[in-house]
Amino acid sequence: MRLRDRFRRPAWLGRLGLGLAALAAVLVMGLATPAQSFILLDQKEVPEGCAAEPAAIRLDGQKVLEVRSTAGAESVTTVAERGSRTLLQLAQNLTIAPGDIGVKHLDSESFIVLQQQGEPVRRLGVMNKRIARCYGMEPRRLAELSRDQIRAAMVRYREAHSLQSWLRGSALAALVLAVYVVWLRLQFRLNGRIRHLIASRERFLLQQLARFGLSALLEPAQVRRLLQGVRSTVHWAVLLLISYLLVPLLLGFFPPTQGIASGLRQQLRTVTLGLLNGVVAAIPNLLTIAVIIGLGVLVVRASNGVFDALRLGRLRIPGFYREWARPTSRLVALLIAVATLVIAFPYIPGSGSKAFQGAGLFVGVFAALGSSAVAANIISGLMLIYTRAFREGDFVELNGVLGTVQDRTLLVTRVQTPHNQLVSIPNATVISNAVANYSFSRREIRQPVALACTITIGYDVPWRQVEALMLAAARSVEGVTDEMEPFVLQTALNDFHISYELTAFLRDANTYRLSLSQLHAALQDKFAEADVEILSPGYHAVRNGNPSTVPKTSSPAAEV
């Protein structure tokens, strides 16, 4: 059964929909703040003589009034604390009705008073012009608003601390816990179902990898592990988030803990709004980064197109060789990428934070520790490329290693030896030693590379016969070409023998070792057939009256 058929099952959709509905309900209820009955007296600009950070008169953990200025020399914090204690006493005293809180106006001042029948008037607070100016209104209006807020706070407090409120809060808490338990079961069941689907859909994963062209890079087991990791992370993240949101929701149902719940909700809202504001504020910078990266990609593609044309010979630049195209293309792409990163870096969100500075310092320390060796190898690699010492496929001898160049990077050169060993040689080592390139002659000057070997023959053998035998041996080797004739040089007249050097030219430089071995064998065969002894190593002869070793003169034809 296909994956999409499993998702079409009504039971699956029903459980998924119920789980999502429970999740949304908990999120909304957890982040929502109970309706406030007080009016926030807010003003953008703080007038002179007003507190920059107002204190709050609270009842049961909730703000009722803001204190921005006082009538005397007391601080707003002291007045707010005394006001909170007084308001709590008023709310707890059931003999005081909310309507007993009134306002008295006298000239330019207004007073908040407690008027109980048969009791003297008790002054609770004063509002003068200086205090009212901090709220941007008249004293009369400020006093009336404050009276209404105090009345509403007393009503709310008494309702919240009633038996009916406790019973209602307990019932709502039980309902929320029941919904939470149901959601937990659905969440774990959904998580198990997804885990099973990921583990059992290997064929589906293979099809998707082939569809997106990733089958050569990834295996189904790797994709399964990745998906299982994502599934597990999302599962536990959602579980922790809902569990955390459940705490302020439950605490908000009971009066003694409503203040704690309000603080937790405020913290959640602050974090959430901060993240949303950060995302919104980062959108212009992200768009700028996208434009910079897009331009960088276009420039890299244009550069690659030019260098591909140079590599294929469709475009020619005097003095620029075709084998330079690929490494130069990589180098230019790297420089463009670095330039793109440098230009885009200031627009990355948080690029000026201490975290980015610490990461830059960390990277700088590691770069400083390894820069000398890496830079030496990179510079040596560039020198090898642009001095055209060798290229991939050439038969070379590097640092005593004989073989075919398989790979040439900025850091190392890899050579495959005749024994099928892959030897990696740092470019700094290569550049500091002699490089013998056996393929250069055939490729650049259209001439075969020479193969040379030296043997020693005694003075009793005519040199013409030796040369003829050596030339015959060279012509009998299969790898020796007939484009250029081999030749023999007498390099030394030693004490007991003469050194003869044979130079022959190869058809293919990659057969250098095989042709050298065949040439040695041919020399032995030819000299053995002519009954001529090869004096390598030499021997010492004592003159004891034997015939002279000087050969008799004869024609070259007879000697052969």
Side-chain angles (χ1 to χ4, degrees), residues 241 267-283:
L241 176 62
Q267 182 183 13
L268 287 174
R269 285 200 306 274
T270 302
V271 173
T272 304
L273 292 177
L275 290 175
L276 292 177
N277 292 334
V279 171
V280 173
I283 289 177

Side-chain angles (χ1 to χ4, degrees), residues 234-292:
V234 172
H235 168 69
W236 289 108
V238 172
L239 187 63
L240 292 175
L241 176 62
I242 299 302
S243 301
Y244 183 77
L245 292 176
L246 185 68
V247 173
L249 181 60
L250 293 176
L251 294 178
F253 291 140
F254 304 100
T257 56
Q258 285 180 351
I260 301 175
S262 178
L264 291 176
R265 281 191 290 265
Q266 182 64 33
Q267 182 183 13
L268 287 174
R269 285 200 306 274
T270 302
V271 173
T272 304
L273 292 177
L275 290 175
L276 292 177
N277 292 334
V279 171
V280 173
I283 289 177
N285 288 339
L286 294 177
L287 293 176
T288 304
I289 293 173
V291 172
I292 293 174

Side-chain angles (χ1 to χ4, degrees), residues 116-160:
Q116 285 183 292
Q117 188 175 4
E119 297 289 339
V121 177
R122 177 184 173 186
R123 183 182 297 179
L124 300 178
V126 60
M127 304 293 176
N128 54 29
K129 289 185 177 180
R130 183 170 61 84
I131 296 176
R133 183 167 52 88
C134 297
Y135 297 89
M137 59 183 66
E138 294 296 325
R140 179 185 296 269
R141 176 59 178 163
L142 178 60
E144 292 174 352
L145 286 176
S146 300
R147 176 201 62 193
D148 295 340
Q149 293 174 187
I150 293 173
R151 288 177 176 179
M154 292 175 62
V155 172
R156 184 176 65 254
Y157 178 85
R158 293 174 180 179
E159 290 179 351

Side-chain angles (χ1 to χ4, degrees), residues 43 101 142 183 247 284 288 334 355 359 362 369 395 398 413 420 433 457 459 491 516 525 544:
Q43 195 172 8
I101 306 299
L142 178 60
W183 173 80
V247 173
T288 304
L334 177 62
F362 183 77
L369 291 176
F395 189 78
L398 305 177
T413 298
N420 285 333
N433 292 276
I457 306 297
Y459 284 95
T491 58
L516 181 60
D525 291 340
N544 57 3

Side-chain angles (χ1 to χ4, degrees), residues 327-349:
T328 306
S329 174
R330 296 174 180 173
L331 186 61
V332 171
L334 177 62
L335 294 177
I336 294 174
V338 172
T340 302
L341 179 62
V342 171
I343 296 174
F345 183 80
Y347 299 98
I348 299 176

